[in-house]
Amino acid sequence: MARPRFLLPAGALAALLLAGTAFAQPDPVPTRKEGLRRMQTNLEAIGAVANAGGDTRDTVPRSDEMVAFFRNLPALFPSGSDGNGSRARPAVWSDRAGFERAATNAVAAAEALRVSAGSGDAAATSQAVRAMGGACSACHRSYRSR
Ligand code: HEC
């Protein structure tokens, strides 16, 4: 009988399996929590500069980061990622359209924040920070448990 030609030696197979583990997705729960805490830090830092009448243009990289983060937010909540100490409510997955709308609203608020901050208008930026905070709370009310 002919020897099977495409069989991998055992060592090569083990190496492939190990590589597979290395490429596995990181757990989304700690990843998104860390990201959300960072968004909190960004929002507070922008608010502090604006409320002190400082140069809000220096904070534009923070609002840029917020725009990018909230665009990607739904992807950080794949189905099945409700365990591991997550405080996400089941509605994140059962009312996906509403959850994504809340994320889209946060993107819009972050974009408006970036425009205000970029204009250097501290008063307008303070107002945009409050509006951004409203978009955070709106999502938390429906999709995060206490
Ligand atoms: C579209 C929905 C949504 C928006 C918008 C949103 N969040 Fe959240 N946030 C969540 C959910 C859901 C959780 C719970 C995540 C988990 O525990 O898996 C959460 C958790 C958090 C946490 C706790 C993280 C931890 O360490 O447990 C912080 C802080 C936070 N959000 C801050 C913010 C801030 C600041 C904003 C606005 C700038 C914001 N969030 C906008 C849905 C949202």
Side-chain angles (χ1 to χ4, degrees):
M1 204 177 139
R3 245 164 26 97
R5 262 185 296 167
F6 299 113
L7 208 60
L8 287 166
L13 185 59
L16 271 180
L17 290 174
L18 279 176
T21 342
F23 287 127
Q25 290 293 310
D27 186 332
V29 177
T31 304
R32 70 196 180 211
K33 282 185 172 182
E34 193 193 316
L36 285 159
R37 284 196 301 269
R38 186 161 166 78
M39 294 310 110
Q40 176 101 44
T41 304
N42 281 339
L43 189 59
E44 286 170 0
I46 299 167
V49 171
N51 294 341
D55 190 347
T56 57
R57 288 171 299 186
D58 295 342
T59 69
V60 166
R62 290 189 185 272
S63 43
D64 274 339
E65 198 187 304
M66 295 180 81
V67 170
F69 179 84
F70 286 111
R71 280 200 182 125
N72 184 52
L73 180 102
L76 297 175
F77 290 84
S79 55
S81 65
D82 54 342
N84 197 14
S86 173
R87 282 165 68 204
R89 284 198 190 163
V92 166
W93 297 280
S94 64
D95 174 24
R96 192 66 178 183
F99 181 68
E100 290 187 358
R101 218 161 27 242
T104 302
N105 290 342
V107 172
E111 284 171 344
L113 178 57
R114 181 175 59 189
V115 170
S116 304
S119 78
D121 183 335
T125 304
S126 289
Q127 216 165 357
V129 165
R130 281 193 295 276
M132 179 81 251
C136 311
S137 311
C139 185
H140 293 162
R141 263 197 304 279
S142 304
Y143 301 102
R144 184 180 74 172
S145 61
R146 275 143 229 290

